[in-house]
Amino acid sequence: MKKIVVFASGSGSNAENIINYFNDKGNVLVTKVYCNKKGAGIFNRCKRLNKECVLFSKNELFSSDDFINQLKKEADYIVLAGFLLKIPSKLIESFPDKIINIHPALLPKYGGKGMYGMNVHNAVKENKETETGITIHFVNENYDEGAIIFQATTKLEDTDSPEDIAQKIHTLEYEHFPKVIASVIIQ
Ligand code: GAR
């Protein structure tokens, strides 16, 4: 049995999708969700799903060995599902090639600091892109620069608003993210 911990910062719809996907699979267990934003939507989702969701601080993430030691007990892999803080080197060193992120664009385009959520979709719209997509990648020390595991694209219409783009991206994320996680974890 492989264990995963999910980090989220916001609504947590991807986290919910991942939890549901692995619920009926016997080989992967989502042990816990961690969130750095008090009151984020993910807390209600976890309550409904009967999954523990723990609030943690940036300080804990960056300076606590206890936190990393705790994670080592709880997780073989860490999945970032809409998690917006940078991952410190110490954590990356403790989980080499075992931290997986999803980015709502076709990296290397629209990556880097400040490029998250609607900021990405607004930029895609502004640049009149004819397609966008998702990138699932390992996390390294630079924002959105780790080795790419998987990408999927979706066509855009002139009439698509940034909200329409966000919806198309979510559809791709829900379809692919859990399966890609499974393919990495279960060798
Ligand atoms: C997702 O679209 C995810 O790709 C994006 O935030 C959204 C979270 O939605 N992540 C990033 O922008 C990371 N740079 P959710 O909270 O409903 O899963």
Side-chain angles (χ1 to χ4, degrees):
M1 171 76 79
K2 297 281 185 190
K3 293 179 286 184
I4 63 179
V5 151
V6 177
F7 283 12
S9 298
S11 160
S13 67
N14 276 287
E16 174 166 2
N17 186 48
I18 292 163
I19 292 166
N20 286 334
Y21 180 86
F22 288 114
N23 252 349
D24 60 355
K25 313 266 181 305
N27 44 8
V28 176
L29 177 69
V30 179
T31 52
K32 215 187 235 185
V33 178
Y34 282 95
C35 178
N36 64 306
K37 271 260 164 63
K38 206 173 168 187
I42 181 64
F43 286 100
N44 275 336
R45 291 182 193 270
C46 283
K47 210 176 200 174
R48 184 161 38 76
L49 296 165
N50 209 11
K51 187 67 66 185
E52 188 178 0
C53 186
V54 175
L55 180 68
F56 73 118
S57 65
K58 194 171 174 181
N59 196 39
E60 270 175 285
L61 180 64
F62 275 83
S63 42
S64 162
D65 284 341
D66 288 351
F67 183 60
I68 292 182
N69 290 334
Q70 174 80 12
L71 283 170
K72 280 186 188 158
K73 286 187 219 148
E74 296 168 343
D76 298 301
Y77 285 83
I78 298 172
V79 171
L80 310 184
F83 185 68
L84 303 184
L85 293 178
K86 196 161 192 286
I87 298 297
S89 339
K90 221 169 167 182
L91 186 52
I92 295 169
E93 282 157 20
S94 302
F95 286 87
D97 285 341
K98 290 191 162 55
I99 307 180
I100 302 168
N101 182 46
I102 190 158
H103 186 78
L106 295 170
L107 291 174
K109 284 171 125 182
Y110 303 104
K113 198 166 162 50
M115 273 295 162
Y116 58 85
M118 286 309 294
N119 293 353
V120 174
H121 309 313
N122 285 329
V124 165
K125 173 74 188 169
E126 207 150 286
N127 289 338
K128 300 185 170 43
E129 297 284 359
T130 54
E131 65 168 24
T132 186
I134 59 169
T135 303
I136 298 169
H137 65 95
F138 290 115
V139 171
N140 72 6
E141 274 147 40
N142 301 318
Y143 266 121
D144 304 323
E145 286 183 16
I148 291 175
I149 305 164
F150 176 88
Q151 291 186 305
T153 61
T154 183
K155 291 258 167 284
L156 297 177
E157 307 297 331
D158 296 348
T159 50
D160 281 337
S161 66
E163 288 72 24
D164 295 329
I165 298 173
Q167 206 161 28
K168 286 184 172 181
I169 289 299
H170 271 311
T171 302
L172 282 183
E173 291 181 331
Y174 302 153
E175 183 187 346
H176 296 289
F177 199 17
K179 288 184 199 153
V180 173
I181 295 167
S183 75
V184 171
I185 291 182
I186 307 156
Q187 282 110 11

